[in-house]
Amino acid sequence: MTSRSELARSILAVLGGIPGLRPATPATTHVGSRVPWNLDTMAVGIDDELIEIRVVALALPLPPILREAEAALHAALKETRWKNARLRLVVSDIDAAALTPLDHASDADA
C-alpha cells in the first residue's frame, strides 16, 4: 500500500514532467531553506475521496496543459487506493513569464 507521503512524492514527480506547470508553494525565505522536507508537498492535499493539487501556470493556453496533467495524474493513481478519488487541479497563480508573449503581441499590434 502506498502512503500519503509516497503518493505526494509520486504526484510531484508526475507534475514535474508536465511543461507549463509547477507546484504552488508558499514563498520561501531563509527559514524555508532549512525545513527538513520538500516544501512542494504543501501544494498537494490528499484525502480518501479527493486529491487537490495547487499549481502555478508557467505557460498558456491552460486547457491543453491541464488536460495533459490530468491524464498523467490519473495514470499515476491507477494502481493506488486513491484510484477512484476525484482529482482537482487548482491554478492558484500565473507566472508573469507566461504572459510575456501576450505583451509582445499587443506591442506588435500598436
Side-chain angles (χ1 to χ4, degrees):
M1 180 169 39
T2 303
S3 71
R4 290 176 197 268
S5 60
E6 290 171 339
L7 181 62
R9 285 192 298 272
S10 175
I11 286 170
L12 290 170
V14 169
L15 190 61
I18 307 295
L21 296 177
R22 71 166 173 80
T25 54
T28 58
T29 63
H30 66 285
V31 174
S33 66
R34 294 187 303 221
V35 174
W37 66 84
N38 182 351
L39 286 175
D40 287 350
T41 59
M42 294 179 75
V44 180
I46 301 171
D47 195 344
D48 289 337
E49 297 176 8
L50 174 68
I51 297 173
E52 182 175 279
I53 306 158
R54 291 163 299 285
V55 297
V56 173
L58 304 174
L60 296 173
L62 276 174
I65 297 170
L66 294 174
R67 282 192 297 272
E68 178 183 355
E70 182 181 21
L73 290 162
H74 275 298
L77 296 172
K78 198 174 211 173
E79 300 299 322
T80 72
R81 70 181 182 119
W82 292 277
K83 65 184 173 200
N84 294 320
R86 288 180 305 136
L87 179 63
R88 180 183 300 154
L89 292 169
V90 178
V91 178
S92 62
D93 200 1
I94 298 176
D95 190 282
L99 302 173
T100 302
L102 298 176
D103 290 341
H104 291 300
S106 64
D107 291 345
D109 292 339

